[in-house]
């Protein structure tokens, strides 16, 4: 047994580390932080390319979607961005901790209750997709096409 393994075995393990072992959590903290960043960037792209420009047009002559339609399509994505920004920050910090895996397990346990917001997202995503795919608005279709070209 290495000196590091002996030190870890003799030091008290936080409860979250014990739970992580019980559930077989064996992740590379850097990989998890990196994957979270990729997901966060995709959520932010949805806001930057579609939500934010559409929201700026609400109530103007250029309006493409009404406020209620915008909420229907984007639902809680702005809240998800806030949540995942904090999660990513915490995961990134965990990678530099003395015990990165234990710190990562702690971050996941701490953030787990917030994942309940995905229930609302999943409940509403079909309606949002139906709206987007069946929307007859020429302005909306042109907007989506332009934004897709801009995104590359």
């Amino acid at each position: 047994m290495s000196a590091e393994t002996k030190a870890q075995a003799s030091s008290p393990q936080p409860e979250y580390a014990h739970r992580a072992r019980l559930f077989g959590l064996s992740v590379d903290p850097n990989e998890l932080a990196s994957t979270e960043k990729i997901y966060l960037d995709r959520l932010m792209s949805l806001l930057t390319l579609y939500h934010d420009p559409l929201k700026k047009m609400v109530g103007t002559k250029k309006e493409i979607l009404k406020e209620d339609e915008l909420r229907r399509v984007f639902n809680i994505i702005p809240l998800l961005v806030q949540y995942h920004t904090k999660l990513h920050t915490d995961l990134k910090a965990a990678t530099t901790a003395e015990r990165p895996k234990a710190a990562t397990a702690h971050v996941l346990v701490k953030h787990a209750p917030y994942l309940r917001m995905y229930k609302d997202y999943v409940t509403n995503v079909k309606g949002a997709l139906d709206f987007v795919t069946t929307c007859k608005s020429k302005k909306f279709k042109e907007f989506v096409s332009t934004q897709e070209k801009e995104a590359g």
Side-chain angles (χ1 to χ4, degrees):
M1 191 181 291
S2 72
E4 182 181 344
T5 307
K6 285 179 187 176
Q8 287 177 350
S10 65
S11 66
Q13 296 288 314
E15 176 61 26
Y16 54 81
H18 174 69
R19 280 186 264 165
R21 278 193 310 282
L22 286 175
F23 291 107
L25 179 65
S26 179
V27 298
D28 174 8
N30 288 306
E31 182 181 348
L32 189 58
S34 174
T35 302
E36 181 61 25
K37 176 68 171 139
I38 291 166
Y39 182 65
L40 175 59
D41 287 347
R42 289 183 179 160
L43 286 174
M44 290 173 74
S45 290
L46 280 173
L47 292 184
T48 304
L49 287 171
Y50 300 99
H51 176 270
D52 296 349
L54 287 167
K55 187 171 179 126
K56 286 179 184 173
M57 294 181 215
V58 171
T60 70
K61 291 180 183 180
K62 294 181 178 182
E63 182 176 83
I64 295 174
L65 294 180
K66 296 181 184 334
E67 183 70 33
D68 63 320
E69 293 170 325
L70 191 66
R71 273 194 305 274
R72 183 176 175 194
V73 171
F74 292 97
N75 192 356
I76 64 166
I77 291 176
L79 289 174
L80 291 175
V81 168
Q82 289 176 10
Y83 164 73
H84 284 283
T85 298
K86 177 67 174 140
L87 177 59
H88 176 255
T89 300
D90 291 353
L91 286 171
K92 191 74 177 153
T95 65
T96 61
E98 185 177 325
R99 294 182 20 230
K101 285 187 178 185
T104 299
H106 174 67
V107 168
L108 294 174
V109 169
K110 178 177 120 182
H111 284 272
Y114 297 101
L115 292 172
R116 289 186 188 124
M117 72 176 90
Y118 273 94
K119 178 183 176 208
D120 292 336
Y121 175 79
V122 170
T123 299
N124 296 311
V125 75
K126 184 181 180 329
L129 290 173
D130 287 347
F131 177 85
V132 169
T133 57
T134 62
C135 183
K136 304 252 188 266
S137 167
K138 182 179 176 185
K139 285 170 52 175
F140 180 71
K141 289 177 183 179
E142 288 173 355
F143 172 81
V144 170
S145 178
T146 300
Q147 296 307 94
E148 285 176 347
K149 287 176 189 169
E150 187 178 304

